[in-house]
Amino acid sequence: MDGAPAIETSPAVLILLGPPGAGKGTQARLLEEEFGLVQLSTGDLLRAAVAAGTDAGKAAKAVMEAGDLVSDDIVIAILRDRLGDADVQRGVILDGFPRTTVQASALDALLLETGQKINAAISLEVDDGEMVTRISGRYTCGGCGEGYHDTFKQPETAGTCDKCGAADMKRRADDKAETVGQRLQAYHAQTAPLISYYDGKGVLQSVDAMGNIHNIAAALAQIVRDATRPN
Ligand code: ADP
Ligand code: ZN
């Protein structure tokens, strides 16, 4: 690496790849806690824009509800803004971005500007059939963001969060069974090609994401440790 400093000081950049329901958000939250990184979810940023009624949010709302991808211009602009914030300077876990080859090139250009590199792009490998069940049963605490599931993880008292006690469970508008199929299709058509894109750059890592959350988390943590070790 000509010109690079002997000690790597620039903030880490990790990418989580995988279809909707693969557990990107769950795993990103665990990595945040363990490594002091910041999860950047373009889905969360877009939902916040929709809730705030910004121009970007107005343009994104119907597209998201149909399970299609929001336009690259909107998503790239939102991500670029967020990457400028002070709290992300220790490093980021990109969750749900990039989702198209145009977004991947835009990210490369952004990182070139800031002198950063991608430490790892981690592909969470899962079966499509299982994803529909996982997604259509899930809901989240509006108070603290803890995730729950009708079948796999119910709170001790129905409707009340085990973690923070709030009684404010939320389901995403696009988690309906009808929309999940379209989201999976968009994933295979537009996002799955990024797996070979990052393989070609030598930063791809694949993890079997069908098993136990804690085993998957341990595998991811090891990858992050190896990929961010100064050398
Ligand atoms: P999931 O990964 O479970 O589908 P997200 O919260 O990441 O959920 O995304 C929800 C929706 O937000 C997507 O279906 C899409 O409409 C939109 N979205 C999120 N990230 C992007 C992106 N990088 N490019 C285009 N659309 C996006
Ligand atoms: Zn809660």
Side-chain angles (χ1 to χ4, degrees):
M1 287 220 269
D2 36 345
I7 295 175
E8 182 64 67
T9 50
S10 70
V13 179
L14 297 149
I15 297 172
L16 290 184
L17 290 171
K24 300 186 295 294
T26 304
Q27 296 297 338
R29 281 165 63 98
L30 294 170
L31 291 173
E32 275 194 311
E33 284 171 23
E34 184 162 355
F35 293 95
L37 301 165
V38 172
Q39 171 195 16
L40 282 190
S41 156
T42 41
D44 287 348
L45 293 171
L46 287 166
R47 280 184 287 278
V50 170
T54 63
D55 287 344
K58 283 180 193 147
K61 187 170 191 283
V63 179
M64 291 173 75
E65 280 173 11
D68 292 321
L69 295 188
V70 174
S71 79
D72 288 328
D73 290 352
I74 290 179
V75 178
I76 291 165
I78 284 186
L79 187 89
R80 174 187 283 271
D81 276 2
R82 184 67 183 89
L83 279 176
D85 291 345
D87 67 313
V88 304
Q89 305 310 323
R90 283 194 59 184
V92 293
I93 307 159
L94 299 176
D95 160 11
F97 184 94
R99 249 180 165 91
T100 65
T101 50
V102 172
Q103 292 176 18
S105 307
L107 177 63
D108 288 343
L110 261 168
L111 296 178
L112 200 64
E113 276 172 36
T114 57
Q116 287 172 267
K117 64 176 176 52
I118 295 165
N119 298 74
I122 307 170
S123 170
L124 301 183
E125 311 212 310
V126 293
D127 302 338
D128 262 21
E130 178 79 8
M131 293 308 99
V132 179
T133 320
R134 276 201 200 175
I135 300 174
S136 47
R138 73 184 178 181
Y139 56 97
T140 313
C141 170
C144 72
E146 185 72 359
Y148 293 95
H149 194 281
D150 292 328
T151 313
F152 307 127
K153 186 184 167 195
Q154 291 166 299
E156 282 186 23
T157 308
T160 302
C161 179
D162 294 341
K163 209 170 179 184
C164 77
D168 180 25
M169 298 299 186
K170 293 189 183 330
R171 285 180 198 263
R172 276 168 45 178
D174 62 347
D175 277 350
K176 296 187 288 287
E178 311 88 86
T179 316
V180 174
Q182 181 56 31
R183 285 163 60 202
L184 284 170
Q185 206 174 314
Y187 171 78
H188 287 294
Q190 290 167 276
T191 310
L194 296 182
I195 294 173
S196 44
Y197 180 83
Y198 288 116
D199 196 16
K201 285 177 166 291
V203 294
L204 183 73
Q205 302 278 346
S206 299
V207 169
D208 176 356
M210 288 304 292
N212 170 286
I213 289 184
H214 297 286
N215 296 343
I216 300 164
L220 289 181
Q222 190 56 49
I223 290 172
V224 172
R225 254 177 249 120
D226 290 343
T228 57
R229 184 170 290 139
N231 50 9

